Amino acid sequence: MANQLLQGKKVIVTGGSRGIGASIVRELAEAGAQVAFTYSSREESAAAVAQGLPGEGHFYVKMDISSEESVQQACDQILAKWPEIHGVVNNAGITKDTLLLRMKAEDFDSVINTNLRGTFLVTKTLARTLMKNKASVVNITSVIGQTGNPGQANYAASKAGTVAFSKSVAMELASRGVRVNCVAPGFIATEMTEILSEDQKKKILEKVPLGQIGEGRDVANAVKFLISDESRYITGHTLSVNGGLFMD
């Protein structure tokens, strides 16, 4: 019998149509949650994820997380079906990597607006509903936000900012029973890592004490724990899922 750790919970996952987000959606559904997830452009990918989910009541909506209007519309759609929300996973994000001297201001802004401002918009828009249900918020950050990385000043800033944002909101909403935590993945196998050469992967793995690439389910299991009532006394925390790449 499948683990029903999240039975009866309704959870929103942004950016759930591919990669780590899709792994999170599947893991939450397998744990008994009903999942509403967002996609930005490829509806066929969202449909494919939804079709393979166990249980009933799952659905997806389109959302441009960098647009306040789009976030409001998507959240309104979800709340029209689900007046109660028990969890939110802010996962949607982008990268636009290049060295600082070559980085255009618009590339810096777009990453900040999507990764950091988008997390703010979703959390703020749903805050009153979250307080009614003593919900759990999990924000997906990155080991890059903890260590920095050449060519990713914009991405690192967005993820480090998300950690600070999460701690602040955790303090603000704790009295209403809302918990806010982060999961910081390290090197995880996704579509993006598949384009790396074996030599590139080898060099990365030399820095990982556990000596292997993580899987989407490793991140998803951490999210599942933080969404569940088993983590009821944890808030303002960043859970690293990185094989020891960074130890805090």
Side-chain angles (χ1 to χ4, degrees):
M1 182 177 177
N3 182 353
Q4 297 296 288
L5 183 66
L6 302 181
Q7 185 67 41
K9 291 189 180 294
K10 294 179 170 61
V11 184
I12 298 172
V13 180
T14 67
S17 64
R18 60 190 179 90
I20 290 174
S23 294
I24 292 170
V25 169
R26 282 190 289 268
E27 189 64 39
L28 298 185
E30 288 175 3
Q34 288 184 316
V35 186
F37 64 95
T38 75
Y39 71 98
S40 60
S41 59
R42 295 168 57 185
E43 185 174 1
E44 64 274 15
S45 296
V49 171
Q51 189 174 14
L53 297 178
E56 299 179 346
H58 315 296
F59 63 98
Y60 54 87
V61 297
K62 187 172 184 178
M63 177 193 286
D64 174 2
I65 201 170
S66 66
S67 164
E68 185 172 3
E69 180 181 7
S70 180
V71 169
Q72 185 66 59
Q73 289 176 347
C75 288
D76 286 346
Q77 282 183 261
I78 295 170
L79 292 174
K81 291 189 177 184
W82 290 352
E84 294 185 350
I85 303 294
H86 306 100
V88 175
V89 183
N90 285 303
N91 165 75
I94 62 170
T95 59
K96 290 194 175 182
D97 300 347
T98 190
L99 295 174
L100 176 66
L101 293 177
R102 299 174 184 169
M103 187 176 291
K104 297 177 181 178
E106 53 263 36
D107 289 341
F108 184 88
D109 290 345
S110 64
V111 171
I112 295 294
N113 286 340
T114 300
N115 299 0
L116 178 54
R117 185 172 180 269
T119 296
F120 155 74
L121 288 174
V122 172
T123 307
K124 181 179 184 294
T125 302
L126 295 170
R128 294 187 185 281
T129 301
L130 300 177
M131 289 189 289
K132 291 178 183 177
N133 296 283
K134 296 183 177 180
S136 173
V137 178
V138 180
N139 297 325
I140 306 301
T141 60
S142 171
V143 66
I144 303 304
Q146 298 168 311
T147 64
N149 196 44
Q152 291 192 299
N154 49 3
Y155 184 74
S158 72
K159 294 304 186 179
T162 298
V163 172
F165 168 79
S166 301
K167 289 179 179 180
S168 298
V169 178
M171 292 177 183
E172 290 185 24
L173 300 184
S175 64
R176 303 299 293 270
V178 177
R179 298 182 296 107
V180 184
N181 294 288
C182 296
V183 171
F187 189 54
I188 307 296
T190 64
E191 293 175 6
M192 289 187 289
T193 60
E194 287 303 311
I195 65 175
L196 297 176
S197 68
E198 290 304 313
D199 186 57
Q200 287 174 315
K201 291 180 182 179
K202 181 180 178 181
K203 288 180 179 178
I204 292 173
L205 289 177
E206 287 174 354
K207 301 177 183 178
V208 180
L210 285 181
Q212 61 184 8
I213 298 174
E215 298 178 3
R217 65 178 180 175
D218 297 318
V219 180
N221 280 322
V223 172
K224 177 176 67 177
F225 167 67
L226 290 173
I227 289 290
S228 79
D229 295 336
E230 291 194 351
S231 60
R232 59 176 291 276
Y233 203 55
I234 300 174
T235 195
H237 178 70
T238 297
L239 177 54
S240 294
V241 183
N242 61 31
L245 179 60
F246 173 78
M247 301 183 186
D248 188 7

